[in-house]
Amino acid sequence: MADDVVSPKPAKSFRKGALVKVNRNAYINSLEATSSDQQFYPEYIFNGPGELLVVKGEYGQVRWRLPVPDVWLRIDQLEEWS
C-alpha cells in the first residue's frame, strides 16, 4: 500500500527580511494554538507585516512592528504579506 502514501507539501521558502503574516487557518488549527488561550489571538499577527529575522529548518523568527516580543513560528503557518 505504498501507493497510498501522500507526500508532504513542499516547504515554503522565505528568506531573511521577508515581510510575512500568519495564515489564520494554518495557525488556529495547529498544536501551538491549542496550547494558548484561544480567545486572545492578537489580530496583528494575521494582518502583518512582520519581518522574518531568522529561518532555521521549519521555523522562522518574526519581529512585529509593535513593541511586542519576537516569536518563532512554523514556516508553513506563514504567508507573504501583501
Side-chain angles (χ1 to χ4, degrees):
M1 298 287 183
D3 296 332
D4 294 338
V5 176
V6 177
S7 61
K9 289 192 310 186
K12 297 175 189 174
S13 68
F14 288 109
R15 293 178 171 232
K16 178 181 174 182
L19 296 179
V20 297
K21 63 181 181 176
V22 175
N23 177 304
R24 186 180 301 270
N25 290 331
Y27 181 75
I28 290 176
N29 296 319
S30 71
L31 177 65
E32 293 86 355
T34 59
S35 66
S36 299
D37 189 349
Q38 296 179 2
Q39 70 181 13
F40 294 113
Y41 294 134
E43 199 59 34
Y44 64 85
I45 69 172
F46 305 117
N47 296 331
E51 181 182 355
L52 200 53
L53 299 177
V54 178
V55 176
K56 288 193 176 193
E58 297 178 14
Y59 291 87
Q61 184 180 23
V62 180
R63 174 170 291 160
W64 305 101
R65 295 180 176 178
L66 297 168
V68 295
D70 300 342
V71 63
W72 285 90
L73 294 164
R74 285 196 341 246
I75 293 295
D76 65 345
Q77 296 172 349
L78 301 176
E79 59 186 35
E80 187 176 337
W81 179 77
S82 56

